[in-house]
Amino acid sequence: MAKIGFIDYFLDEWHAEKYPEWIESATDGKMKVTYAYGKTDSTTGLSNADWCEKKRIQLLDSIEAVVEQSDYLIVLSPDNPEFHEELSALPLQSGKPTYIDKTFAPDRKTALRLFESANHHGTPMYSTSALRFATEYIETDKQGIETICSVGPGSFSNYSIHQIEPIVSLMGSEPKRVMYIGTPKSPALLIGFADGRQATIHHFGWECPFSMVLNYDSGNTKLLKPESDFFGLFIKNLITFFETGKPVVDPSETIAIATLIEYGHKAAKNPYQWLELPSETV
């Protein structure tokens, strides 16, 4: 049995709750989350010790111990990406396949540093939103997409990833500029790509399911609603990554996504003005 280690800001959160059962079920018990570390206890839920006791996962007292005793590593902290660099430092030096949960990094420079560390130490690593693997997105034709209008729930800070990731996977990793076009209650971002192509994301509250409309240069239109089991498809991809050490997400896309989120926050301070995106490496 391959042993997986969790490294989290605090362990009583939705991703840590669901991933162990999904991974064990998808591998028929050949992979299992056996170790975990949390930097702090949840302020609203179970302590790390109580969570581990409930999940029958061994709580270890350091990231180093989790890295040493695990075959594969998952750095979680899905709603606190500002801790990813700290939590990932030792995993990315280990050479062991490491998945870093969404949102990968709070800004472009951090994203670049994480990839530089992984490359320097020969550590296979990637990050993604599970929405990337929705069958509806994977199977759609990417050629000739001129415009995308995407909508979804949640706040910009931790849910924009789920709209931006599919957009970048469909339109490419070279967005040029962004403009904030939303309101305080309905954040929205216009993304400009090369050759006049563009995409918008809109947050309309928890009652608004993820969906997007694609318009092609041919004049054809598609409405995509991710109703497939995208979390199950993500878990299968994660298992393949652990087995092969080969991520399917291009680092350039992950860096572009981190850049868009960072500059989306900046653009919100001056709505309806274009903000050019950096292209140079750091």
Side-chain angles (χ1 to χ4, degrees):
M1 180 189 71
K3 299 176 181 179
I4 297 173
F6 274 2
I7 298 165
D8 210 339
Y9 180 49
F10 55 83
L11 289 163
D12 190 8
E13 46 89 359
W14 195 86
H15 286 200
E17 183 71 22
K18 299 296 185 180
Y19 287 4
E21 287 80 6
W22 288 345
I23 292 170
E24 188 171 358
S25 175
T27 62
D28 294 324
K30 294 178 182 177
M31 290 185 189
K32 189 173 181 178
V33 178
T34 53
Y35 306 114
Y37 165 85
K39 177 180 172 66
T40 189
D41 288 323
S42 170
T43 59
T44 58
L46 296 176
S47 68
N48 293 330
D50 288 342
W51 185 90
C52 283
E53 182 179 4
K54 183 189 77 168
K55 302 292 285 185
R56 296 181 181 179
I57 294 171
Q58 185 177 351
L59 180 65
L60 300 181
D61 61 4
S62 69
I63 295 175
E64 184 177 21
V66 174
V67 171
E68 182 179 336
Q69 298 184 50
S70 303
D71 299 301
Y72 310 123
L73 301 165
I74 297 178
V75 177
L76 292 152
S77 192
D79 291 329
N80 296 96
E82 67 272 17
F83 289 103
H84 279 171
E85 189 168 21
E86 174 188 342
L87 297 174
S88 301
L90 290 177
L92 294 184
Q93 296 175 33
S94 70
K96 298 179 179 181
T98 299
Y99 172 74
I100 300 178
D101 214 340
K102 70 86 187 170
T103 301
F104 179 60
D107 54 60
R108 176 184 176 85
K109 289 185 177 180
T110 303
L112 288 166
R113 287 197 300 269
L114 288 168
F115 276 108
E116 287 167 359
S117 178
N119 292 336
H120 179 72
H121 295 283
T123 300
M125 179 269 286
Y126 86 118
S127 179
T128 187
S129 159
L131 265 293
R132 169 186 283 270
F133 299 102
T135 303
E136 295 82 359
Y137 296 158
I138 291 290
E139 293 183 351
T140 201
D141 185 8
K142 297 181 180 181
Q143 297 300 315
I145 297 176
E146 190 173 81
T147 309
I148 293 178
C149 177
S150 173
V151 300
S155 66
F156 183 90
S157 60
N158 65 340
Y159 264 70
S160 61
I161 177 72
H162 299 309
Q163 295 189 59
I164 292 174
E165 179 113 27
I167 286 171
V168 169
S169 72
L170 291 169
M171 299 192 79
S173 61
E174 296 185 355
K176 302 299 183 183
R177 55 186 185 168
V178 295
M179 180 189 294
Y180 189 84
I181 55 173
T183 67
K185 291 185 178 180
S186 298
L189 191 68
L190 172 61
I191 304 169
F193 288 83
D195 305 321
R197 296 176 301 129
Q198 66 181 38
T200 56
I201 69 168
H202 303 265
H203 294 268
F204 287 129
W206 292 111
E207 296 80 13
C208 177
F210 291 108
S211 63
M212 61 170 63
V213 180
L214 281 61
N215 196 50
Y216 289 82
D217 53 17
S218 64
N220 293 332
T221 299
K222 286 184 181 179
L223 171 63
L224 303 180
K225 298 177 69 176
E227 297 173 336
S228 56
D229 180 16
F230 50 83
F231 264 113
L233 295 167
F234 157 68
I235 291 295
K236 289 181 180 178
N237 179 271
L238 179 64
I239 291 164
T240 300
F241 164 68
F242 284 149
E243 291 174 336
T244 64
K246 296 179 180 179
V248 300
V249 181
D250 192 302
S252 67
E253 293 190 6
T254 305
I255 292 168
I257 292 161
T259 304
L260 284 168
I261 295 172
E262 176 190 2
Y263 278 74
H265 282 293
K266 292 181 178 180
K269 298 176 182 178
N270 294 286
Y272 306 107
Q273 297 182 35
W274 282 115
L275 182 61
E276 300 298 316
L277 300 177
S279 58
E280 76 283 355
T281 58
V282 189

